[in-house]
DNA sequence: AATCCGTTCAACCGCCCCAAG
DNA sequence: CCTTGGGGCGGTTGAACGGAT
């Protein structure tokens, strides 16, 4: 028995979004907040698949997006993060305020790949283009999670998350990229309506354990209005310089 | 001016993960 | 446990665009 389709394709619009559709989506989210994507199109009066609405909102309509014009520092950061995380675009995006996974993925495929090849670097393995040492994608791993070549043979495949929920790539990659902050715990630059449960509950770390124990995917999500998101965005933008500076220290 | 060709990027597709029942 | 549904992710597609011929 197959899964039911996420929407009735025969009665949904496809392709490029019109200005009117954008306005409808924004207006709906402004009032009701985002979330419950499957029922959102109907509630908003849109003839669109819920997934399509989500994508449109996350990648293009959501406040605080930068859109284009990648800075040189962002390029280098993406390259370093990709070397460690592989094609984990959402994780990479979470470290780049105002950038989306889709945008970074496209940017990687259209610009950075070529840039690396021009430098004689293999964009997949992050080593010399002639197949030298460096990071390698283990083909047996789902979705190309990279591991160091030596470790790929010495250790069993890992999901990148230790059993306690902490990122296990951090210590491993500290050795390879000691200047790279790979703390993948939830932090303001990647908030996008995701907050730490214990922080949300007003608990101190000592009371509820480390916030880092909650992986991003499992973070508490809650629905809030556009105004709330915009307010937070303004606060984030004020702090943004600080976050980027502290993260890319040593570059 | 017309056509070809490479590039870009918005959008879709299919799969996976996880929580709820 | 198993099934189901929702949300999210990464890979891929194809229309639009711009430059070259």
């Amino acid at each position: 028995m197959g899964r039911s389709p996420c929407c009735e394709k025969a009665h949904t619009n496809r392709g490029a979004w019109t200005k009117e559709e954008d306005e409808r989506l924004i207006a709906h989210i402004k009032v009701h907040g985002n979330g419950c994507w499957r029922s959102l199109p109907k509630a908003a009066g849109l003839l669109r698949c819920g997934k399509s609405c989500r994508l449109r909102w996350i990648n293009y309509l959501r406040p605080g997006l930068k859109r284009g014009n990648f800075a040189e520092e962002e390029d280098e950061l993406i390259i370093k993060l990709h070397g460690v995380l592989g094609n984990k675009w959402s994780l990479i995006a979470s470290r780049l305020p105002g950038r989306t996974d889709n945008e970074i993925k496209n940017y990687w495929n259209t610009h950075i790949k070529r840039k690396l090849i021009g430098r004689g670097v293999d964009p997949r393995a992050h080593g010399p283009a002639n197949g030298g040492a460096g990071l390698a994608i283990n083909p047996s791993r789902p979705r190309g999670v990279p591991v160091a070549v030596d470790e790929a043979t010495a250790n069993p495949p890992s999901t990148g998350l230790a059993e306690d929920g902490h990122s296990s790539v951090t210590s491993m990659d500290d050795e390879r990229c000691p200047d790279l902050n790979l703390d993948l715990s939830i932090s303001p630059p990647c908030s996008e309506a995701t907050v730490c449960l214990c922080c949300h509950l007003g608990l101190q770390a000592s009371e509820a354990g480390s916030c880092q124990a909650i992986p991003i995917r499992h973070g508490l999500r809650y629905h809030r209005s556009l105004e709330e998101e915009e307010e937070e965005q303004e606060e984030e933008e004020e702090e943004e310089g600080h976050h980027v500076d502290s993260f890319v220290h040593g570059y």
Side-chain angles (χ1 to χ4, degrees):
Chain A
M1 191 173 85
R3 297 172 59 90
S4 60
C6 71
C7 55
E8 184 57 60
K9 288 186 168 56
H11 300 104
T12 54
N13 291 341
R14 299 182 59 184
W17 279 65
T18 65
K19 197 167 188 300
E20 188 188 340
E21 286 177 312
D22 282 348
E23 284 166 359
R24 272 180 184 267
L25 181 58
I26 291 169
H28 180 83
I29 291 176
K30 204 164 188 170
V31 174
H32 301 98
N34 60 15
C36 200
W37 295 107
R38 192 170 281 229
S39 60
L40 186 148
K42 195 176 179 183
L46 287 162
L47 292 174
R48 287 278 178 178
C49 167
K51 279 186 163 188
S52 183
C53 293
R54 175 185 164 272
L55 198 71
R56 185 68 184 168
W57 173 255
I58 297 287
N59 288 332
Y60 306 101
L61 301 178
R62 160 169 75 101
L65 294 178
K66 288 182 182 170
R67 313 283 304 130
N69 299 321
F70 279 78
E72 187 61 29
E73 307 88 72
E74 287 180 300
D75 276 19
E76 295 304 318
L77 188 51
I78 291 168
I79 291 167
K80 288 208 173 195
L81 286 168
H82 186 272
V84 173
L85 300 168
N87 294 356
K88 295 287 179 185
W89 305 115
S90 59
L91 283 178
I92 294 172
S94 74
R95 307 312 313 180
L96 287 139
R99 302 296 184 186
T100 70
D101 54 354
N102 205 35
E103 186 180 20
I104 292 172
K105 179 174 59 182
N106 281 330
Y107 188 65
W108 174 270
N109 287 325
T110 56
H111 293 89
I112 299 182
K113 257 186 181 177
R114 206 172 307 147
K115 187 174 177 177
L116 289 178
I117 290 168
R119 289 181 189 173
V121 175
D122 181 348
R124 252 179 85 86
H126 288 266
N130 60 11
L135 296 178
I137 307 296
N138 182 339
S140 68
R141 289 183 164 216
R143 295 188 178 171
V145 176
V147 293
V149 173
D150 294 345
E151 289 157 353
T153 52
N155 301 321
S158 138
T159 62
L161 287 177
E163 284 180 10
D164 64 0
H166 286 74
S167 167
S168 64
V169 295
T170 304
S171 59
M172 178 182 97
D173 297 303
D174 280 350
E175 294 168 18
R176 229 176 8 251
C177 304
D179 58 333
L180 188 58
N181 179 354
L182 286 168
D183 178 3
L184 299 177
S185 62
I186 298 160
S187 59
C190 58
S191 61
E192 207 263 304
T194 301
V195 297
C196 163
L197 176 58
C198 41
C199 294
H200 178 76
L201 296 174
L203 299 174
Q204 299 299 317
S206 58
E207 294 174 298
S210 169
C211 298
Q212 296 172 7
I214 303 171
I216 289 174
R217 274 197 78 150
H218 303 158
L220 172 66
R221 290 169 193 274
Y222 62 100
H223 301 160
R224 52 182 181 176
S225 68
L226 194 58
E227 284 87 349
E228 288 174 295
E229 231 171 66
E230 281 171 347
E231 278 175 25
E232 180 165 316
Q233 185 62 40
E234 285 171 15
E235 289 170 19
E236 281 177 16
E237 280 171 1
E238 285 175 18
E239 294 181 25
E240 195 169 287
H242 169 70
H243 285 301
V244 172
D245 288 350
S246 60
F247 182 58
V248 299
H249 73 282
Y251 275 62

